[in-house]
Amino acid sequence: MRHVFNIVVCVNILLASGSYAQTVHQQTPIASKGETVIVATSMKLNVRVKILTHEVEIGKPSDKRPDVTRSICTYSRYPCSIVDAMDIAVSGKPITVPRSVFCDLADLNSAEIRIEQNESILTLTGGDASESYIVKIVFDTERVKRKTLSSGMTPNEPLQETTYQKGILRD
């Protein structure tokens, strides 16, 4: 009986501390063309992200890589896979995703969503080896708040950070 009491106490402590809002992280592979849906659920929120991609022929892996690349392709995947759109819905309500969040993404490998207390984080991995990268998109129930991009070789050192402000139209 004491064992059951200890379990109940531990569960109540976890619920009181706010840990119940966090999710189990599950990586979802990204389709090189078509639609990929990534979902995460906590006791408070349901998050659904849809990523649309298409492929672009860039040659063969045996071809010499161009001296100057004029596309967003990382040359880690043949054909190249480019992100066309990204939709995010939190508890069934769509939020606006600025084009700059996804317009420079190519050759995505996987995605995962982590739901925290006041915001969620979509982590995307793309490219391979020296061309690998990690993008973290932070959003809440109303809007995208921030995007950071890091090299896959130095994931804890952001190379780029974009902050999105809440836009208010006035007369």
Side-chain angles (χ1 to χ4, degrees):
M1 188 65 172
R2 181 160 174 82
H3 178 69
V4 172
F5 175 76
N6 287 341
I7 291 173
V8 170
V9 168
C10 287
V11 168
N12 285 334
I13 289 170
L14 284 173
L15 289 174
S17 70
S19 297
Y20 66 94
Q22 294 185 356
T23 54
V24 175
H25 306 177
Q26 178 180 351
Q27 294 229 342
T28 301
I30 304 296
S32 64
K33 62 180 176 179
E35 179 179 295
T36 302
V37 176
I38 306 103
V39 295
T41 304
S42 72
M43 291 182 70
K44 287 185 172 184
L45 299 174
N46 296 316
V47 176
R48 182 178 190 270
V49 175
K50 180 170 64 171
I51 298 173
L52 296 171
T53 56
H54 78 277
E55 292 181 338
V56 174
E57 289 298 331
I58 56 171
K60 301 182 295 272
S62 58
D63 293 345
K64 181 182 181 291
R65 183 176 173 165
D67 293 332
V68 177
T69 56
R70 302 203 189 285
S71 72
I72 59 174
C73 298
T74 64
Y75 288 84
S76 59
R77 180 181 296 168
Y78 294 83
C80 173
S81 172
I82 296 177
V83 175
D84 294 314
M86 181 182 296
D87 299 320
I88 300 175
V90 180
S91 296
K93 179 185 166 201
I95 65 172
T96 300
V97 180
R99 278 187 36 77
S100 61
V101 168
F102 61 85
C103 70
D104 60 350
L105 302 179
D107 299 328
L108 290 179
N109 298 318
S110 65
E112 72 177 21
I113 301 169
R114 187 172 76 232
I115 300 174
E116 295 186 345
Q117 203 66 0
N118 297 318
E119 58 191 19
S120 299
I121 302 167
L122 171 64
T123 302
L124 304 167
T125 61
D128 189 30
S130 66
E131 293 290 333
S132 65
Y133 65 92
I134 299 166
V135 171
K136 292 188 180 193
I137 301 164
V138 179
F139 56 95
D140 60 18
T141 59
E142 297 179 3
R143 65 187 179 90
V144 172
K145 296 166 73 175
R146 185 172 54 258
K147 172 188 170 184
T148 59
L149 177 125
S150 304
S151 166
M153 299 176 76
T154 54
N156 296 322
E157 298 175 22
L159 298 170
Q160 174 183 326
E161 184 169 12
T162 304
T163 303
Y164 297 93
Q165 305 300 325
K166 190 173 189 174
I168 301 172
L169 296 177
R170 295 192 173 98
D171 288 336

